[in-house]
Amino acid sequence: ANAFPPFALHVLNPRALPFEQLHGHIDPGSREWKEGVFVSVIRQILQDKSGERQWLTLDGPVDDTWMPALHTALDESRKLVLGSGEVV
């Protein structure tokens, strides 16, 4: 028998993509927000109704370019504020 409850594991290597593709950015031509891979995975996790625990692993060295963007996700508010101003 498995002593651990089922879970889903999502793994991202933050250095595998440019910052804009990872976190998202405002397109200079259209002035529209383009969602990044990190936010897409977070949305997928939040929409999951399976009841499984969801783990997101950032598999890579801590980098001073992407880490500050996650500051709001790591504080006591537990909310992620996107560059577009949206709160997830």
mmCIF file with all atom_site columns, all heavy atoms in Angstrom, residues 2-5 9 17 22 30 35-36 38-40 53 55 57 79 86:
data_model
loop_
_atom_site.group_PDB
_atom_site.id
_atom_site.type_symbol
_atom_site.label_atom_id
_atom_site.label_alt_id
_atom_site.label_comp_id
_atom_site.label_asym_id
_atom_site.label_entity_id
_atom_site.label_seq_id
_atom_site.pdbx_PDB_ins_code
_atom_site.Cartn_x
_atom_site.Cartn_y
_atom_site.Cartn_z
_atom_site.occupancy
_atom_site.B_iso_or_equiv
_atom_site.pdbx_formal_charge
_atom_site.auth_seq_id
_atom_site.auth_comp_id
_atom_site.auth_asym_id
_atom_site.auth_atom_id
_atom_site.pdbx_PDB_model_num
ATOM 1   N N   . ASN A 1 2  ? 0.440  2.257  -0.724  1.00 0.00 ? 2  ASN A N   1
ATOM 2   C CA  . ASN A 1 2  ? 1.190  3.510  -0.803  1.00 0.00 ? 2  ASN A CA  1
ATOM 3   C C   . ASN A 1 2  ? 0.823  4.390  0.380   1.00 0.00 ? 2  ASN A C   1
ATOM 4   O O   . ASN A 1 2  ? -0.337 4.723  0.582   1.00 0.00 ? 2  ASN A O   1
ATOM 5   C CB  . ASN A 1 2  ? 0.882  4.209  -2.122  1.00 0.00 ? 2  ASN A CB  1
ATOM 6   C CG  . ASN A 1 2  ? 1.808  5.376  -2.366  1.00 0.00 ? 2  ASN A CG  1
ATOM 7   O OD1 . ASN A 1 2  ? 2.595  5.751  -1.518  1.00 0.00 ? 2  ASN A OD1 1
ATOM 8   N ND2 . ASN A 1 2  ? 1.696  5.946  -3.545  1.00 0.00 ? 2  ASN A ND2 1
ATOM 9   N N   . ALA A 1 3  ? 1.805  4.787  1.171   1.00 0.00 ? 3  ALA A N   1
ATOM 10  C CA  . ALA A 1 3  ? 1.567  5.596  2.361   1.00 0.00 ? 3  ALA A CA  1
ATOM 11  C C   . ALA A 1 3  ? 1.426  7.075  2.031   1.00 0.00 ? 3  ALA A C   1
ATOM 12  O O   . ALA A 1 3  ? 1.055  7.860  2.900   1.00 0.00 ? 3  ALA A O   1
ATOM 13  C CB  . ALA A 1 3  ? 2.710  5.395  3.353   1.00 0.00 ? 3  ALA A CB  1
ATOM 14  N N   . PHE A 1 4  ? 1.718  7.475  0.808   1.00 0.00 ? 4  PHE A N   1
ATOM 15  C CA  . PHE A 1 4  ? 1.671  8.881  0.431   1.00 0.00 ? 4  PHE A CA  1
ATOM 16  C C   . PHE A 1 4  ? 0.461  9.153  -0.456  1.00 0.00 ? 4  PHE A C   1
ATOM 17  O O   . PHE A 1 4  ? 0.150  8.359  -1.340  1.00 0.00 ? 4  PHE A O   1
ATOM 18  C CB  . PHE A 1 4  ? 2.950  9.277  -0.300  1.00 0.00 ? 4  PHE A CB  1
ATOM 19  C CG  . PHE A 1 4  ? 4.184  9.102  0.534   1.00 0.00 ? 4  PHE A CG  1
ATOM 20  C CD1 . PHE A 1 4  ? 5.036  8.031  0.323   1.00 0.00 ? 4  PHE A CD1 1
ATOM 21  C CD2 . PHE A 1 4  ? 4.490  9.999  1.555   1.00 0.00 ? 4  PHE A CD2 1
ATOM 22  C CE1 . PHE A 1 4  ? 6.176  7.864  1.095   1.00 0.00 ? 4  PHE A CE1 1
ATOM 23  C CE2 . PHE A 1 4  ? 5.619  9.847  2.326   1.00 0.00 ? 4  PHE A CE2 1
ATOM 24  C CZ  . PHE A 1 4  ? 6.464  8.773  2.104   1.00 0.00 ? 4  PHE A CZ  1
ATOM 25  N N   . PRO A 1 5  ? -0.203 10.284 -0.233  1.00 0.00 ? 5  PRO A N   1
ATOM 26  C CA  . PRO A 1 5  ? -1.336 10.624 -1.100  1.00 0.00 ? 5  PRO A CA  1
ATOM 27  C C   . PRO A 1 5  ? -0.840 10.969 -2.501  1.00 0.00 ? 5  PRO A C   1
ATOM 28  O O   . PRO A 1 5  ? 0.302  11.371 -2.685  1.00 0.00 ? 5  PRO A O   1
ATOM 29  C CB  . PRO A 1 5  ? -1.962 11.843 -0.418  1.00 0.00 ? 5  PRO A CB  1
ATOM 30  C CG  . PRO A 1 5  ? -0.880 12.414 0.427   1.00 0.00 ? 5  PRO A CG  1
ATOM 31  C CD  . PRO A 1 5  ? 0.020  11.272 0.805   1.00 0.00 ? 5  PRO A CD  1
ATOM 32  N N   . LEU A 1 9  ? 3.395  16.647 -10.041 1.00 0.00 ? 9  LEU A N   1
ATOM 33  C CA  . LEU A 1 9  ? 4.660  17.361 -9.982  1.00 0.00 ? 9  LEU A CA  1
ATOM 34  C C   . LEU A 1 9  ? 4.863  18.145 -11.273 1.00 0.00 ? 9  LEU A C   1
ATOM 35  O O   . LEU A 1 9  ? 4.757  17.592 -12.366 1.00 0.00 ? 9  LEU A O   1
ATOM 36  C CB  . LEU A 1 9  ? 5.824  16.388 -9.776  1.00 0.00 ? 9  LEU A CB  1
ATOM 37  C CG  . LEU A 1 9  ? 7.222  16.982 -9.745  1.00 0.00 ? 9  LEU A CG  1
ATOM 38  C CD1 . LEU A 1 9  ? 7.380  17.944 -8.569  1.00 0.00 ? 9  LEU A CD1 1
ATOM 39  C CD2 . LEU A 1 9  ? 8.253  15.868 -9.663  1.00 0.00 ? 9  LEU A CD2 1
ATOM 40  N N   . LEU A 1 17 ? 14.566 29.401 -20.150 1.00 0.00 ? 17 LEU A N   1
ATOM 41  C CA  . LEU A 1 17 ? 13.826 30.359 -20.970 1.00 0.00 ? 17 LEU A CA  1
ATOM 42  C C   . LEU A 1 17 ? 14.273 31.774 -20.648 1.00 0.00 ? 17 LEU A C   1
ATOM 43  O O   . LEU A 1 17 ? 14.666 32.057 -19.521 1.00 0.00 ? 17 LEU A O   1
ATOM 44  C CB  . LEU A 1 17 ? 12.325 30.263 -20.672 1.00 0.00 ? 17 LEU A CB  1
ATOM 45  C CG  . LEU A 1 17 ? 11.634 28.956 -20.996 1.00 0.00 ? 17 LEU A CG  1
ATOM 46  C CD1 . LEU A 1 17 ? 10.242 28.939 -20.383 1.00 0.00 ? 17 LEU A CD1 1
ATOM 47  C CD2 . LEU A 1 17 ? 11.552 28.766 -22.492 1.00 0.00 ? 17 LEU A CD2 1
ATOM 48  N N   . LEU A 1 22 ? 9.438  33.271 -19.389 1.00 0.00 ? 22 LEU A N   1
ATOM 49  C CA  . LEU A 1 22 ? 9.179  32.595 -18.119 1.00 0.00 ? 22 LEU A CA  1
ATOM 50  C C   . LEU A 1 22 ? 8.075  33.300 -17.330 1.00 0.00 ? 22 LEU A C   1
ATOM 51  O O   . LEU A 1 22 ? 7.111  32.669 -16.904 1.00 0.00 ? 22 LEU A O   1
ATOM 52  C CB  . LEU A 1 22 ? 10.458 32.531 -17.283 1.00 0.00 ? 22 LEU A CB  1
ATOM 53  C CG  . LEU A 1 22 ? 10.351 31.784 -15.960 1.00 0.00 ? 22 LEU A CG  1
ATOM 54  C CD1 . LEU A 1 22 ? 10.057 30.314 -16.184 1.00 0.00 ? 22 LEU A CD1 1
ATOM 55  C CD2 . LEU A 1 22 ? 11.638 31.954 -15.162 1.00 0.00 ? 22 LEU A CD2 1
ATOM 56  N N   . SER A 1 30 ? 1.621  45.614 -29.355 1.00 0.00 ? 30 SER A N   1
ATOM 57  C CA  . SER A 1 30 ? 0.175  45.611 -29.069 1.00 0.00 ? 30 SER A CA  1
ATOM 58  C C   . SER A 1 30 ? -0.163 46.189 -27.698 1.00 0.00 ? 30 SER A C   1
ATOM 59  O O   . SER A 1 30 ? -1.321 46.458 -27.418 1.00 0.00 ? 30 SER A O   1
ATOM 60  C CB  . SER A 1 30 ? -0.362 44.186 -29.148 1.00 0.00 ? 30 SER A CB  1
ATOM 61  O OG  . SER A 1 30 ? 0.183  43.391 -28.101 1.00 0.00 ? 30 SER A OG  1
ATOM 62  N N   . GLU A 1 35 ? 1.313  36.205 -21.357 1.00 0.00 ? 35 GLU A N   1
ATOM 63  C CA  . GLU A 1 35 ? 1.555  35.368 -20.191 1.00 0.00 ? 35 GLU A CA  1
ATOM 64  C C   . GLU A 1 35 ? 2.773  34.475 -20.395 1.00 0.00 ? 35 GLU A C   1
ATOM 65  O O   . GLU A 1 35 ? 2.988  33.946 -21.483 1.00 0.00 ? 35 GLU A O   1
ATOM 66  C CB  . GLU A 1 35 ? 0.316  34.509 -19.949 1.00 0.00 ? 35 GLU A CB  1
ATOM 67  C CG  . GLU A 1 35 ? 0.252  33.924 -18.584 1.00 0.00 ? 35 GLU A CG  1
ATOM 68  C CD  . GLU A 1 35 ? -1.151 33.463 -18.273 1.00 0.00 ? 35 GLU A CD  1
ATOM 69  O OE1 . GLU A 1 35 ? -1.467 32.315 -18.608 1.00 0.00 ? 35 GLU A OE1 1
ATOM 70  O OE2 . GLU A 1 35 ? -1.904 34.265 -17.703 1.00 0.00 ? 35 GLU A OE2 1
ATOM 71  N N   . GLY A 1 36 ? 3.553  34.284 -19.345 1.00 0.00 ? 36 GLY A N   1
ATOM 72  C CA  . GLY A 1 36 ? 4.721  33.430 -19.395 1.00 0.00 ? 36 GLY A CA  1
ATOM 73  C C   . GLY A 1 36 ? 4.403  32.003 -18.984 1.00 0.00 ? 36 GLY A C   1
ATOM 74  O O   . GLY A 1 36 ? 3.318  31.692 -18.493 1.00 0.00 ? 36 GLY A O   1
ATOM 75  N N   . PHE A 1 38 ? 5.634  30.233 -16.522 1.00 0.00 ? 38 PHE A N   1
ATOM 76  C CA  . PHE A 1 38 ? 5.458  30.090 -15.078 1.00 0.00 ? 38 PHE A CA  1
ATOM 77  C C   . PHE A 1 38 ? 4.007  30.370 -14.680 1.00 0.00 ? 38 PHE A C   1
ATOM 78  O O   . PHE A 1 38 ? 3.386  29.599 -13.953 1.00 0.00 ? 38 PHE A O   1
ATOM 79  C CB  . PHE A 1 38 ? 6.408  31.029 -14.339 1.00 0.00 ? 38 PHE A CB  1
ATOM 80  C CG  . PHE A 1 38 ? 6.254  31.006 -12.852 1.00 0.00 ? 38 PHE A CG  1
ATOM 81  C CD1 . PHE A 1 38 ? 6.754  29.958 -12.100 1.00 0.00 ? 38 PHE A CD1 1
ATOM 82  C CD2 . PHE A 1 38 ? 5.598  32.032 -12.192 1.00 0.00 ? 38 PHE A CD2 1
ATOM 83  C CE1 . PHE A 1 38 ? 6.599  29.937 -10.731 1.00 0.00 ? 38 PHE A CE1 1
ATOM 84  C CE2 . PHE A 1 38 ? 5.441  32.016 -10.825 1.00 0.00 ? 38 PHE A CE2 1
ATOM 85  C CZ  . PHE A 1 38 ? 5.951  30.961 -10.087 1.00 0.00 ? 38 PHE A CZ  1
ATOM 86  N N   . VAL A 1 39 ? 3.452  31.458 -15.190 1.00 0.00 ? 39 VAL A N   1
ATOM 87  C CA  . VAL A 1 39 ? 2.072  31.830 -14.858 1.00 0.00 ? 39 VAL A CA  1
ATOM 88  C C   . VAL A 1 39 ? 1.092  30.816 -15.443 1.00 0.00 ? 39 VAL A C   1
ATOM 89  O O   . VAL A 1 39 ? 0.095  30.464 -14.805 1.00 0.00 ? 39 VAL A O   1
ATOM 90  C CB  . VAL A 1 39 ? 1.754  33.260 -15.347 1.00 0.00 ? 39 VAL A CB  1
ATOM 91  C CG1 . VAL A 1 39 ? 0.304  33.612 -15.101 1.00 0.00 ? 39 VAL A CG1 1
ATOM 92  C CG2 . VAL A 1 39 ? 2.671  34.254 -14.654 1.00 0.00 ? 39 VAL A CG2 1
ATOM 93  N N   . SER A 1 40 ? 1.380  30.300 -16.623 1.00 0.00 ? 40 SER A N   1
ATOM 94  C CA  . SER A 1 40 ? 0.504  29.288 -17.229 1.00 0.00 ? 40 SER A CA  1
ATOM 95  C C   . SER A 1 40 ? 0.433  28.030 -16.359 1.00 0.00 ? 40 SER A C   1
ATOM 96  O O   . SER A 1 40 ? -0.638 27.453 -16.172 1.00 0.00 ? 40 SER A O   1
ATOM 97  C CB  . SER A 1 40 ? 0.993  28.921 -18.627 1.00 0.00 ? 40 SER A CB  1
ATOM 98  O OG  . SER A 1 40 ? 0.885  30.009 -19.491 1.00 0.00 ? 40 SER A OG  1
ATOM 99  N N   . ARG A 1 53 ? -2.511 16.929 -4.400  1.00 0.00 ? 53 ARG A N   1
ATOM 100 C CA  . ARG A 1 53 ? -1.595 18.023 -4.078  1.00 0.00 ? 53 ARG A CA  1
ATOM 101 C C   . ARG A 1 53 ? -0.804 18.349 -5.334  1.00 0.00 ? 53 ARG A C   1
ATOM 102 O O   . ARG A 1 53 ? -0.484 17.469 -6.123  1.00 0.00 ? 53 ARG A O   1
ATOM 103 C CB  . ARG A 1 53 ? -0.656 17.633 -2.950  1.00 0.00 ? 53 ARG A CB  1
ATOM 104 C CG  . ARG A 1 53 ? -1.360 17.492 -1.633  1.00 0.00 ? 53 ARG A CG  1
ATOM 105 C CD  . ARG A 1 53 ? -0.354 17.227 -0.530  1.00 0.00 ? 53 ARG A CD  1
ATOM 106 N NE  . ARG A 1 53 ? -1.039 17.104 0.728   1.00 0.00 ? 53 ARG A NE  1
ATOM 107 C CZ  . ARG A 1 53 ? -1.072 18.051 1.652   1.00 0.00 ? 53 ARG A CZ  1
ATOM 108 N NH1 . ARG A 1 53 ? -0.454 19.195 1.448   1.00 0.00 ? 53 ARG A NH1 1
ATOM 109 N NH2 . ARG A 1 53 ? -1.718 17.868 2.776   1.00 0.00 ? 53 ARG A NH2 1
ATOM 110 N N   . TRP A 1 55 ? 2.642  20.188 -6.767  1.00 0.00 ? 55 TRP A N   1
ATOM 111 C CA  . TRP A 1 55 ? 3.972  20.688 -6.434  1.00 0.00 ? 55 TRP A CA  1
ATOM 112 C C   . TRP A 1 55 ? 4.588  21.321 -7.666  1.00 0.00 ? 55 TRP A C   1
ATOM 113 O O   . TRP A 1 55 ? 4.607  20.723 -8.740  1.00 0.00 ? 55 TRP A O   1
ATOM 114 C CB  . TRP A 1 55 ? 4.868  19.542 -5.960  1.00 0.00 ? 55 TRP A CB  1
ATOM 115 C CG  . TRP A 1 55 ? 4.526  19.049 -4.610  1.00 0.00 ? 55 TRP A CG  1
ATOM 116 C CD1 . TRP A 1 55 ? 3.664  18.036 -4.300  1.00 0.00 ? 55 TRP A CD1 1
ATOM 117 C CD2 . TRP A 1 55 ? 5.018  19.542 -3.373  1.00 0.00 ? 55 TRP A CD2 1
ATOM 118 N NE1 . TRP A 1 55 ? 3.600  17.873 -2.943  1.00 0.00 ? 55 TRP A NE1 1
ATOM 119 C CE2 . TRP A 1 55 ? 4.419  18.788 -2.341  1.00 0.00 ? 55 TRP A CE2 1
ATOM 120 C CE3 . TRP A 1 55 ? 5.915  20.555 -3.025  1.00 0.00 ? 55 TRP A CE3 1
ATOM 121 C CZ2 . TRP A 1 55 ? 4.691  19.014 -1.006  1.00 0.00 ? 55 TRP A CZ2 1
ATOM 122 C CZ3 . TRP A 1 55 ? 6.179  20.771 -1.687  1.00 0.00 ? 55 TRP A CZ3 1
ATOM 123 C CH2 . TRP A 1 55 ? 5.568  20.007 -0.703  1.00 0.00 ? 55 TRP A CH2 1
ATOM 124 N N   . THR A 1 57 ? 8.172  22.714 -8.842  1.00 0.00 ? 57 THR A N   1
ATOM 125 C CA  . THR A 1 57 ? 9.590  22.744 -8.514  1.00 0.00 ? 57 THR A CA  1
ATOM 126 C C   . THR A 1 57 ? 10.319 23.594 -9.537  1.00 0.00 ? 57 THR A C   1
ATOM 127 O O   . THR A 1 57 ? 10.206 23.345 -10.738 1.00 0.00 ? 57 THR A O   1
ATOM 128 C CB  . THR A 1 57 ? 10.179 21.316 -8.513  1.00 0.00 ? 57 THR A CB  1
ATOM 129 O OG1 . THR A 1 57 ? 9.467  20.523 -7.575  1.00 0.00 ? 57 THR A OG1 1
ATOM 130 C CG2 . THR A 1 57 ? 11.649 21.337 -8.157  1.00 0.00 ? 57 THR A CG2 1
ATOM 131 N N   . LYS A 1 79 ? 0.047  35.349 -2.442  1.00 0.00 ? 79 LYS A N   1
ATOM 132 C CA  . LYS A 1 79 ? -0.552 35.750 -3.714  1.00 0.00 ? 79 LYS A CA  1
ATOM 133 C C   . LYS A 1 79 ? 0.566  36.187 -4.646  1.00 0.00 ? 79 LYS A C   1
ATOM 134 O O   . LYS A 1 79 ? 1.523  36.815 -4.233  1.00 0.00 ? 79 LYS A O   1
ATOM 135 C CB  . LYS A 1 79 ? -1.539 36.893 -3.507  1.00 0.00 ? 79 LYS A CB  1
ATOM 136 C CG  . LYS A 1 79 ? -2.734 36.464 -2.680  1.00 0.00 ? 79 LYS A CG  1
ATOM 137 C CD  . LYS A 1 79 ? -3.703 37.592 -2.504  1.00 0.00 ? 79 LYS A CD  1
ATOM 138 C CE  . LYS A 1 79 ? -4.867 37.101 -1.660  1.00 0.00 ? 79 LYS A CE  1
ATOM 139 N NZ  . LYS A 1 79 ? -5.793 38.163 -1.347  1.00 0.00 ? 79 LYS A NZ  1
ATOM 140 N N   . GLU A 1 86 ? -2.289 41.914 -12.344 1.00 0.00 ? 86 GLU A N   1
ATOM 141 C CA  . GLU A 1 86 ? -3.261 40.903 -11.923 1.00 0.00 ? 86 GLU A CA  1
ATOM 142 C C   . GLU A 1 86 ? -2.722 40.141 -10.720 1.00 0.00 ? 86 GLU A C   1
ATOM 143 O O   . GLU A 1 86 ? -1.549 39.813 -10.652 1.00 0.00 ? 86 GLU A O   1
ATOM 144 C CB  . GLU A 1 86 ? -3.536 39.944 -13.067 1.00 0.00 ? 86 GLU A CB  1
ATOM 145 C CG  . GLU A 1 86 ? -4.531 38.857 -12.736 1.00 0.00 ? 86 GLU A CG  1
ATOM 146 C CD  . GLU A 1 86 ? -4.727 37.853 -13.857 1.00 0.00 ? 86 GLU A CD  1
ATOM 147 O OE1 . GLU A 1 86 ? -4.094 38.001 -14.927 1.00 0.00 ? 86 GLU A OE1 1
ATOM 148 O OE2 . GLU A 1 86 ? -5.494 36.918 -13.652 1.00 0.00 ? 86 GLU A OE2 1
#
